[in-house]
Amino acid sequence: MEQTYPSDRGISVQQNEMVDLPAGAPSNAPKTSPTRRGHLRRFRFLYGGIATLVLLFFLPPLVNVSRYQRRIATSISNSIGRPVHFDRISLTVLPLPGFTIDNFVVGEDPAFGYEPIIRANSVRATLRLSSLWRRRVEFSTISFTDPSVNLVHAANGQWNIEGIMLHASQIETAPTAQRRAGPAPRFPYIEATGARLNIKQEQEKLPFSLVEAEFALWLPDPHQWHLRLRARPTRTDSNVSDTGIIELETTLGAAPSLSQIPLNLEGQWRNAQLGEATRVLFGHDAGWRGQMNLTTHIRGTFGESAISTRLRLIDARPADFIPEKPLTTEAECFATATGIFHAFEDLRCSWPPASSSQISSIVLTGNIPNVHLPREASIQITAPKIPGSTLLTWLRATNSTIPQNLAIGGMLTGTLTYGATGSVSQDQPASSANQWQGQLTLDNAAVTTGEAKTPLLSGDVHLESLAHLPLPHSRNAVSATGPKQGFTLDPVPLQLGGHDPVLLSGHLDSVGYTLHLAGNATLERLTTLAQAFPPLGKGLLEALPTKSPTTGLFHIDLTATRPWKGTQTWQDNSVHTSKPAKTGQRRHHH
């Protein structure tokens, strides 16, 4: 029989498709396709990556790092100098290898109390992979989630953070951004989100705190730390909002003591509403509206540094009305801080700033030896030359009743002192040096209204402290009544229609003020006075004698009293003095 071959059937057989079978192999063994082998080679990295991801996902739970928990806690404790505790530590691989620590707690120095200085629900520490090849573990980042930090200020002036800062400055570390590992471990990038910063005075937690804080700390150069903080100020004893944002950028250096640590700080408190800002600072709304921006620059050391601040008020106004022109102004202050910011020397504030083109209206100088003892401060406030028109602008921005046709001329000058800057005579007791003293004068004052041709006031207005006035020579009188306090208003001549002016005098102190108005006046001019100065004229016309003529002159003898937080009351003195006068006459005849 004739044998038929594939070639005879028109099928082309390629020699390179034939596979040599090993000896003894059955003729029906499956043959491996070269196309399949190429497919495996092409996707071997993909399959390897999937296998690695699966391994990384299932492997960490199988690795028990809890047996190293005590060793890790001891290592962290030695690095910061405080006891460290946490509930659980676990290994994580994705997105980067590292550890996750639950309920992380840093204990407090017993000298500052027993509440932990740091408490965080979760801490994530990311490893530096390059450090593993040197058999030394380094962390690239340490992230805190919702931590709570307590800053404690002791009675001796020390802070609980001092020990941690000094301990960290003694450890040899390399910069955070250093690319290659060296002999010293690289300082990690420490960050926190959702942090809360509490401030305690000894064991009492103050109501002021910083919330929603974002914190970052790293080492840009050896022995130089850079700190960044962004937070919202708040109070725990009241409901506040629109308090603005506080931002700090600080560079700290290494030193053997806290007072020698170099400090370079730039900070700002921006977009704060005035009412809420005063509530944060003082615990109550001061009754002002507008926006506040405060910037601060500090250069030097913790022991002694130069401070400069600038305060800007935008559309500042009282809360009860909107003036035609709200106040938009700036002030700046310079001082030298000593004693770790417990004392301030060479304090000088200018409003407006001395660096501006405007002439400074108010200048404040002085010294604060101890911020915890404000009565020991010595302050001097000087008004170089404030035009009367500027005073009227301030009045209109703070009081809605000042009429538009009122005009004030003259120049206000004077000086007020408190504490050691005030000169005390030998006849005055030492306690009088702790009171406000000095004098203010409005030279060539002229007060006019658009309707009246004759000015209501023309002359000088002089206000002087009682401590500057001569005291009685009798020592018994001084000891019985004590040193006089407050300020006296010298008689001011008012043109109220009579040939002789009506005299306005008074006294004011920390409690309130008392005014005395006596002379011959007409009802028309008294009405003009009450309309020109509504705060002064409130209740004035109602206190006039009932038989006062509507035209012509009549005599007035009135006294106004008002506590600073109360209502002004005018009183007719002639009603109260009539009976004693008659009684005196009867006794004389008798």
Side-chain angles (χ1 to χ4, degrees):
M1 177 181 294
E2 184 178 358
Q3 187 175 3
T4 305
Y5 294 93
S7 59
D8 296 337
R9 299 174 183 166
I11 301 176
S12 175
V13 180
Q14 301 292 336
Q15 294 294 330
N16 58 358
E17 289 181 357
M18 299 181 63
V19 179
D20 296 334
L21 298 176
S27 60
N28 59 350
K31 300 178 181 180
T32 304
S33 172
T35 304
R36 185 177 180 183
R37 288 190 301 171
H39 177 80
L40 293 174
R41 286 196 302 268
R42 187 179 304 135
F43 293 97
R44 66 181 181 272
F45 294 107
L46 177 61
Y47 296 148
I50 294 175
T52 303
L53 291 177
V54 173
L55 183 64
L56 293 178
F57 183 79
F58 289 101
L59 182 60
L62 301 178
V63 177
N64 184 14
V65 295
S66 298
R67 56 181 177 174
Y68 302 106
Q69 179 170 329
R70 181 175 299 179
R71 184 183 302 178
I72 294 174
T74 302
S75 177
I76 300 175
S77 178
N78 293 334
S79 63
I80 63 177
R82 296 289 172 87
V84 173
H85 310 279
F86 49 84
D87 291 345
R88 182 174 175 270
I89 184 171
S90 58
L91 176 66
T92 56
V93 180
L94 297 178
L96 293 174
F99 297 97
T100 299
I101 302 175
D102 297 332
N103 196 16
F104 180 81
V105 177
V106 178
E108 182 61 278
D109 186 342
F112 297 93
Y114 297 96
E115 188 177 2
I117 184 174
I118 300 176
R119 182 188 295 273
N121 295 330
S122 177
V123 179
R124 164 76 177 167
T126 304
L127 289 170
R128 292 185 186 266
L129 295 179
S130 59
S131 67
L132 299 178
W133 298 103
R134 299 172 59 89
R135 296 182 179 180
R136 182 177 60 192
V137 177
E138 292 185 18
F139 294 103
S140 58
T141 60
I142 299 178
S143 302
F144 292 82
T145 302
D146 300 333
S148 177
V149 181
N150 293 318
L151 293 182
V152 183
H153 186 250
N156 58 3
Q158 292 184 336
W159 290 87
N160 62 340
I161 198 69
E162 295 182 21
I164 296 178
M165 296 175 61
L166 296 177
H167 188 85
S169 64
Q170 298 172 1
I171 299 177
E172 197 69 27
T173 53
T176 303
Q178 182 173 298
R179 304 186 64 179
R180 296 182 179 181
R186 286 166 287 187
F187 190 83
Y189 183 86
I190 302 176
E191 60 183 1
T193 56
R196 183 184 186 93
L197 183 63
N198 304 310
I199 301 177
K200 298 176 61 177
Q201 183 67 33
E202 297 185 7
Q203 301 303 317
E204 181 182 0
K205 186 172 293 185
L206 302 181
F208 175 80
S209 60
L210 299 177
V211 296
E212 301 173 11
E214 298 178 0
F215 172 88
L217 177 67
W218 68 95
L219 194 73
D221 296 309
H223 298 290
Q224 186 182 77
W225 290 268
H226 197 91
L227 182 147
R228 181 181 295 145
L229 175 67
R230 185 179 186 272
R232 182 176 65 87
T234 187
R235 288 185 72 93
T236 57
D237 57 354
S238 61
N239 186 17
V240 296
S241 60
D242 296 333
T243 56
I245 298 296
I246 291 180
E247 295 178 337
L248 298 177
E249 197 88 14
T250 310
T251 300
L252 303 172
S257 64
L258 180 65
S259 61
Q260 297 175 338
I261 291 180
L263 174 64
N264 188 349
L265 181 145
E266 294 185 2
Q268 62 174 338
W269 185 2
R270 57 181 178 84
N271 300 333
Q273 296 300 318
L274 271 179
E276 299 300 302
T278 56
R279 191 191 297 256
V280 168
L281 294 175
F282 310 118
H284 65 275
D285 190 344
W288 282 86
R289 298 297 179 263
Q291 192 177 86
M292 182 196 75
N293 291 326
L294 177 66
T295 59
T296 302
H297 301 273
I298 301 177
R299 303 287 186 276
T301 63
F302 277 87
E304 182 175 352
S305 57
I307 300 179
S308 63
T309 61
R310 182 177 286 254
L311 174 66
R312 177 174 174 80
L313 302 180
I314 303 172
D315 294 336
R317 61 175 180 84
D320 53 355
F321 82 103
I322 301 178
E324 182 179 355
K325 292 182 179 180
L327 289 176
T328 297
T329 184
E330 283 185 297
E332 66 177 1
C333 291
F334 300 93
T336 300
T338 59
I340 314 180
F341 300 99
H342 286 81
F344 295 88
E345 301 175 354
D346 302 327
L347 176 64
R348 181 178 179 84
C349 300
S350 302
W351 176 39
S355 57
S356 65
S357 58
Q358 303 178 3
I359 300 176
S360 298
S361 299
I362 297 177
V363 178
L364 184 149
T365 58
N367 297 287
I368 305 176
N370 191 335
V371 293
H372 298 290
L373 299 174
R375 292 186 62 86
E376 295 183 358
S378 56
I379 299 174
Q380 178 173 291
I381 300 177
T382 303
K385 287 184 178 181
I386 304 178
S389 58
T390 301
L391 297 176
L392 185 59
T393 301
W394 295 348
L395 285 175
R396 289 200 174 105
T398 56
N399 195 304
S400 60
T401 60
I402 303 299
Q404 294 297 324
N405 60 356
L406 181 67
I408 298 180
M411 197 73 66
L412 179 66
T413 59
T415 300
L416 299 177
T417 61
Y418 178 88
T421 56
S423 59
V424 183
S425 63
Q426 295 180 356
D427 297 333
Q428 297 172 356
S431 60
S432 63
N434 292 327
Q435 306 298 328
W436 283 102
Q437 306 175 31
Q439 55 84 28
L440 295 173
T441 302
L442 183 61
D443 296 314
N444 300 321
V447 178
T448 58
T449 60
E451 301 175 355
K453 298 181 180 179
T454 304
L456 290 171
L457 186 153
S458 180
D460 295 341
V461 179
H462 186 71
L463 187 70
E464 187 174 7
S465 61
L466 293 174
H468 282 180
L469 300 179
L471 293 179
H473 294 286
S474 173
R475 295 183 179 180
N476 296 330
V478 175
S479 60
T481 60
K484 294 184 178 182
Q485 302 175 6
F487 291 80
T488 180
L489 175 66
D490 289 350
V492 178
L494 301 179
Q495 303 297 330
L496 299 184
H499 181 271
D500 296 326
V502 176
L503 298 181
L504 175 66
S505 59
H507 169 267
L508 67 155
D509 51 27
S510 59
V511 178
Y513 65 78
T514 301
L515 299 176
H516 183 223
L517 189 65
N520 296 324
T522 64
L523 181 61
E524 179 184 1
R525 294 292 288 177
L526 282 173
T527 304
T528 302
L529 175 66
Q531 293 175 349
F533 295 98
L536 174 66
K538 187 175 182 180
L540 173 62
L541 301 179
E542 291 77 5
L544 295 177
T546 56
K547 297 182 180 180
S548 300
T550 57
T551 59
L553 291 173
F554 60 93
H555 185 76
I556 58 173
D557 186 2
L558 305 173
T559 299
T561 58
R562 180 190 176 184
W564 293 118
K565 295 183 180 181
T567 304
Q568 178 177 268
T569 303
W570 281 95
Q571 183 177 341
D572 185 7
N573 298 326
S574 60
V575 176
H576 299 277
T577 58
S578 59
K579 290 184 178 181
K582 293 180 180 180
T583 304
Q585 292 177 359
R586 291 176 182 176
R587 289 181 179 179
H588 179 71
H589 284 290
H590 179 72

